[in-house]
Amino acid sequence: MSKLAQLRERRNVKAQEANTLNARFPADQRMPTAEAANLDTLLAEIESIDGEITRETRLAKLAAEQTDNLLNAARESATRDPSRQSDHSKALRAYLGGGISALDDRQRQDLAARVNPDIRQAMSTSTNSEGGYTAATEYMRTLEAAMKAYNGVLEVASVIRTGSGADMNFPTADATAEVGEIVGQNGAANAGDTTFGNTALSVYKYSSKKIALPWELLQDSFLDIEAYIQSVLAVRLGRITNTHFTVGTGVSQPRGIVTGAALGKTGTAGQTVSVIYDDLVDLEHSINRAYRRSPGFGFMMADSSLKVVRKIKDTQGRPIFVPGYETASPGGAPDRLLGRPITINDDVAAMAANAKSILMGDFRKYIIRQVMDLTLFRMTDSNFTLNGQVGFVAFQRIGGNLVDAGGAVKYYANSAT
């Protein structure tokens, strides 16, 4: 068993001990001092193990990166040796180094067969001095997968794909206050018209901003530059879209889930940078139980806010938050608060006076709409050529909005004083 696996097993054992100890005493019974101290010790050990797991994970990642570098060096050697290059590798290398004009007739035919006709029409030109274009599927898949790692909202929202970017309308209705009536014999029924609303879901064109790379870097480090472009463009687009999906104003950008949510609970006086147990309960019950039964119901907050919540204790000195532990189901159980899953999203405001620091609700009501897959462009126009550079930029058309007619998502606001 690896050291990382051993650490995880130790954490599961300690977490189960903490949960078992915490459950031994009813809510109306004060936990004895010895047991409370034992519970604090267990929680401290869990935090220490979490730190070790983080370090081991980073070391494993570094080891994997070192292995990848060795493999890349071997592949790079193979790529530089013309006798060991495939026809496709030769064509792609020639294209990155000099554009379409650097390809021979057979390579141009192969490129034409690989590129979607709609993409070819999007090219500004087919000459080396004016520019070129590529959207290889391996770039698109890798970049999209990397983006998901940066999107807290994307983890819990509903995602749809559409063929066009025209505004999509979602009819809404709130009939929760409408009731019937009793009428007498031969009596006429009174009028009781219902009302409808509309929520529009628009999409926006996002740019990663351009990256200019010198010819020397393209020619001497071909495989390394591919990884560089993927990671940088993914981080840029992932950050901006998650920010807008969280706190976007809805004006010339998506309306974020915080912006669209309603107030559920204002913190008790004095809770400017904290929250108490009663406030969390009030927040949960500010949302109708019809939404609370949804499998998408849970909490969303920044990691700094989760740290505050983990320190909350009841009147008997017991923490209300106990880390999850392995269960009979594969993969174990995630950490939960009030029995609800927690999504970490650092674009949600940290706790401060008047801050909307905790979200709770059915996050599937937030709809993310994707129209254009992430597409990578390569540019060799005169602005780059005169500097001995090739430009890269990525675009994606995407949007999001909270489609909610009945208060499915609400927020906790810290007290002003």
Side-chain angles (χ1 to χ4, degrees), residues 114-300:
R114 292 175 181 272
V115 179
N116 185 287
D118 293 336
I119 295 177
R120 291 199 300 272
Q121 293 172 7
M123 297 179 183
S124 60
T125 184
S126 59
T127 61
N128 182 45
S129 62
E130 295 179 3
Y133 170 90
T134 182
T137 55
E138 61 267 29
Y139 281 102
M140 189 163 57
R141 286 198 304 267
T142 303
L143 284 169
E144 184 176 358
M147 282 183 61
K148 291 180 180 178
Y150 292 92
N151 281 276
V153 178
L154 192 62
E155 296 174 6
V156 291
S158 298
V159 180
I160 62 175
R161 293 179 180 269
T162 58
S164 74
D167 283 355
M168 176 178 287
N169 294 312
F170 288 81
T172 60
D174 183 0
T176 56
E178 298 176 8
V179 296
E181 63 177 353
I182 296 176
V183 297
Q185 185 175 351
N186 299 321
N190 292 310
D193 293 338
T194 190
T195 58
F196 295 92
N198 181 73
T199 299
L201 179 49
S202 304
V203 296
Y204 303 87
K205 182 171 67 175
Y206 281 90
S207 161
S208 63
K209 298 183 179 179
K210 63 185 178 183
I211 296 177
L213 301 177
W215 292 341
E216 293 85 354
L217 191 57
L218 280 170
Q219 294 168 347
D220 298 340
S221 304
F222 169 72
L223 292 176
D224 288 341
I225 203 60
E226 176 184 345
Y228 172 78
I229 293 173
Q230 291 175 5
S231 61
V232 172
L233 299 189
V235 170
R236 291 180 180 181
L237 286 172
R239 284 175 175 167
I240 186 63
T241 53
N242 190 66
T243 297
H244 286 171
F245 293 158
T246 306
V247 293
T249 63
V251 179
S252 299
Q253 60 183 243
R255 185 176 69 146
I257 193 169
V258 175
T259 309
L263 173 65
K265 174 65 178 180
T266 299
T268 305
Q271 308 304 317
T272 56
V273 291
S274 59
V275 61
I276 61 176
Y277 176 78
D278 289 354
D279 289 341
L280 292 174
V281 173
D282 288 343
L283 174 62
E284 180 176 16
H285 285 270
S286 71
I287 303 168
N288 190 278
R289 64 181 181 276
Y291 295 114
R292 301 204 303 267
R293 291 194 293 262
S294 168
F297 194 86
F299 286 95
M300 181 180 290

Side-chain angles (χ1 to χ4, degrees), residues 7-202:
L7 288 171
R8 287 173 175 163
E9 185 174 351
R10 281 177 52 201
R11 184 190 189 277
N12 293 335
V13 172
K14 294 297 181 182
Q16 188 169 9
E17 290 179 10
N19 189 67
T20 301
L21 177 60
N22 191 51
R24 283 173 51 192
F25 301 93
D28 57 350
Q29 178 181 348
R30 183 176 183 82
M31 183 180 289
T33 302
E35 281 74 5
N38 188 23
L39 181 58
D40 288 338
T41 300
L42 287 171
L43 292 175
E45 290 180 8
I46 291 171
E47 291 191 10
S48 176
I49 295 172
D50 284 341
E52 292 186 59
I53 290 175
T54 300
R55 287 192 293 273
E56 288 298 320
T57 301
R58 292 176 60 187
L59 288 172
K61 182 179 179 181
L62 289 174
E65 289 177 352
Q66 185 176 10
T67 300
D68 288 343
N69 289 337
L70 293 174
L71 291 174
N72 285 342
R75 287 195 294 265
E76 185 179 355
S77 175
T79 302
R80 288 177 176 174
D81 183 354
S83 65
R84 302 171 66 182
Q85 294 176 5
S86 67
D87 291 341
H88 181 58
S89 296
K90 293 177 181 178
L92 183 58
R93 184 175 179 83
Y95 184 80
L96 287 173
I100 290 179
S101 63
L103 305 178
D104 58 32
D105 292 339
R106 185 178 57 80
Q107 289 172 335
R108 287 195 188 96
Q109 293 175 0
D110 180 63
L111 178 64
R114 292 175 181 272
V115 179
N116 185 287
D118 293 336
I119 295 177
R120 291 199 300 272
Q121 293 172 7
M123 297 179 183
S124 60
T125 184
S126 59
T127 61
N128 182 45
S129 62
E130 295 179 3
Y133 170 90
T134 182
T137 55
E138 61 267 29
Y139 281 102
M140 189 163 57
R141 286 198 304 267
T142 303
L143 284 169
E144 184 176 358
M147 282 183 61
K148 291 180 180 178
Y150 292 92
N151 281 276
V153 178
L154 192 62
E155 296 174 6
V156 291
S158 298
V159 180
I160 62 175
R161 293 179 180 269
T162 58
S164 74
D167 283 355
M168 176 178 287
N169 294 312
F170 288 81
T172 60
D174 183 0
T176 56
E178 298 176 8
V179 296
E181 63 177 353
I182 296 176
V183 297
Q185 185 175 351
N186 299 321
N190 292 310
D193 293 338
T194 190
T195 58
F196 295 92
N198 181 73
T199 299
L201 179 49
S202 304

